[in-house]
């Protein structure tokens, strides 16, 4: 068992233990196990730890193709999961848009403000003509009753089907590069296309987040699936780490949200 942990960060051990417990439940009780929403890094860990063993399958779904946050469904090998098994409910947010506006930050803050844990809701969708969100089905009624304001806007929620989600076209830049190491400062330098010294300053000044948490240690080791937010340079995900080159550099792929 300890061999599993050596491939991950120490702070990820509790999540690994949780994923292994989910797997045990499916193996011993022969039933599906549905998780809350997982961020991209947690999805990578779950896929690695649970894998596609002979007795347990793993499926991920967040309401639409390309969703960032997804629920994981573990199931016995004889089962055939369907979309309804993921327990998702979508809402459209109605508000007086002629007078006020809603942005991602205000909606996220309002959802957290009603006492909803981040794991209970998925992506917030901002299309040209609609603001929508996805939550776990078990919290849907609570959210509909409690979320009455987002920022300065009075809001009310209308349940919609997942097929009615208005997903804007993804505007991303996918870039392959090589980095001298997987240290945070080295990867930040590549992502922001700055010198290593300037990236180091950003990290030490608390302007860099890894998986939504500020990390001020330049030597912090990044891993596949990590999401980075660099103040002034937007968000990028480290989607692939493909080994080393002959010059001992890491081949990596970034996906930056424009």
């Amino acid at each position: 068992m300890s061999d599993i942990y050596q491939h991950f960060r120490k702070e990820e051990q509790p999540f690994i233990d949780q994923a292994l417990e989910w797997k045990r439940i499916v193996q011993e009780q022969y039933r599906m196990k549905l998780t809350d929403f997982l961020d991209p890094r947690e999805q990578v860990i779950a896929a690695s730890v649970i894998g596609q063993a002979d007795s347990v399958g793993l499926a991920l779904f967040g309401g639409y193709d390309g969703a960032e946050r997804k629920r994981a469904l573990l199931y016995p090998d004889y089962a055939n999961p369907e979309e309804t098994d993921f327990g998702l409910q979508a809402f459209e947010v109605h508000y007086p848009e002629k007078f006020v506006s809603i942005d991602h930050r205000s909606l996220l803050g309002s959802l957290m403000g009603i006492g909803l844990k981040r794991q209970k809701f998925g992506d917030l969708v901002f299309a040209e003509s609609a603001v929508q969100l996805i939550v776990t089905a078990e919290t849907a009624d609570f959210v509909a009753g409690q979320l009455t304001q987002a920022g300065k806007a009075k809001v009310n929620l209308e349940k919609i089907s997942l097929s009615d989600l208005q997903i804007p076209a993804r505007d991303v830049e996918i870039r392959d590069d090589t980095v001298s190491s997987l240290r945070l400062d080295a990867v930040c330098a590549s992502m922001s296309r700055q010198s290593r010294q300037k990236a180091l300053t950003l990290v030490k000044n608390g302007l860099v987040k890894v998986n939504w948490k500020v990390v001020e240690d330049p030597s912090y080791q990044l891993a596949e699936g990590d999401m980075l937010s660099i103040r002034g340079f937007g968000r990028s995900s480290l989607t692939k780490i493909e080994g080393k080159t002959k010059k001992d550099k890491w081949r990596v792929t970034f996906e930056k949200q424009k």
Side-chain angles (χ1 to χ4, degrees):
M1 191 66 70
S2 60
D3 291 341
I4 294 177
Y5 299 128
Q6 69 181 354
H7 300 293
F8 301 95
R9 305 177 182 116
K10 185 177 181 180
E11 64 267 25
E12 292 172 337
Q13 183 172 328
F15 181 77
I16 295 169
D17 290 339
Q18 187 176 47
L20 290 171
E21 176 63 14
W22 295 334
K23 186 176 183 179
R24 185 194 63 79
I25 289 172
V26 177
Q27 289 174 323
E28 295 184 1
Q29 300 182 17
Y30 303 101
R31 65 177 177 88
M32 292 184 180
K33 173 61 181 176
L34 180 63
T35 75
D36 287 335
F37 284 97
L38 308 181
D39 66 38
R41 175 59 183 165
E42 290 171 333
Q43 293 167 37
V44 169
I45 296 173
S48 179
V49 172
I50 298 165
Q52 292 291 342
D54 292 338
S55 60
V56 180
L58 173 69
L60 298 160
F61 186 54
Y64 63 95
D65 290 340
E68 181 175 285
R69 290 179 174 268
K70 302 174 183 179
R71 299 188 84 172
L73 182 66
L74 287 72
Y75 56 92
D77 56 359
Y78 59 80
N80 293 302
E82 299 181 355
E83 186 176 287
T84 53
D85 292 322
F86 287 89
L88 302 176
Q89 177 61 59
F91 285 105
E92 183 151 342
V93 183
H94 295 289
Y95 64 100
E97 53 191 280
K98 289 184 178 180
F99 307 103
V100 291
S101 61
I102 296 176
D103 58 18
H104 189 280
R105 184 176 180 179
S106 63
L107 184 55
L108 176 64
S110 297
L111 285 164
M112 302 290 283
I114 63 173
L116 197 65
K117 293 182 178 180
R118 188 62 186 92
Q119 298 91 333
K120 294 296 183 181
F121 60 98
D123 290 1
L124 308 182
V125 179
F126 286 79
E128 187 173 337
S129 59
V131 176
Q132 300 169 325
L133 60 108
I134 306 164
V135 303
T136 60
E138 59 267 26
T139 62
D141 290 340
F142 170 79
V143 175
Q146 296 296 315
L147 188 66
T148 58
Q149 188 159 341
K152 296 181 179 179
K154 297 289 186 181
V155 304
N156 64 79
L157 303 184
E158 175 191 2
K159 287 184 177 180
I160 60 173
S161 67
L162 296 178
S163 60
D164 289 329
L165 287 168
Q166 299 180 33
I167 308 302
R170 298 185 71 199
D171 189 9
V172 298
E173 173 191 359
I174 298 175
R175 181 167 62 90
D176 296 323
D177 202 354
T178 59
V179 292
S180 58
S181 78
L182 296 176
R183 283 171 51 111
L184 181 57
D185 56 350
V187 175
C188 280
S190 177
M191 280 187 170
S192 61
R193 301 186 183 185
Q194 294 193 108
S195 69
R196 182 94 170 248
Q197 187 58 43
K198 289 183 178 179
L200 179 68
T201 300
L202 288 172
V203 174
K204 288 188 173 181
N205 287 342
L207 302 179
V208 177
K209 292 182 179 180
V210 180
N211 299 328
W212 299 273
K213 296 179 181 178
V214 173
V215 177
E216 298 180 357
D217 178 7
S219 65
Y220 187 85
Q221 294 291 305
L222 294 177
E224 193 168 280
D226 279 341
M227 179 70 71
L228 275 75
S229 176
I230 307 173
R231 183 84 61 84
F233 296 91
R235 295 171 61 199
S236 299
S237 60
L238 183 55
T239 54
K240 290 182 183 178
I241 299 175
E242 301 187 63
K244 289 189 173 184
T245 67
K246 292 181 179 178
K247 294 184 178 181
D248 205 36
K249 289 189 175 183
W250 290 95
R251 291 190 298 269
V252 296
T253 300
F254 302 126
E255 186 173 292
K256 182 176 182 180
Q257 301 180 19
K258 295 184 179 179

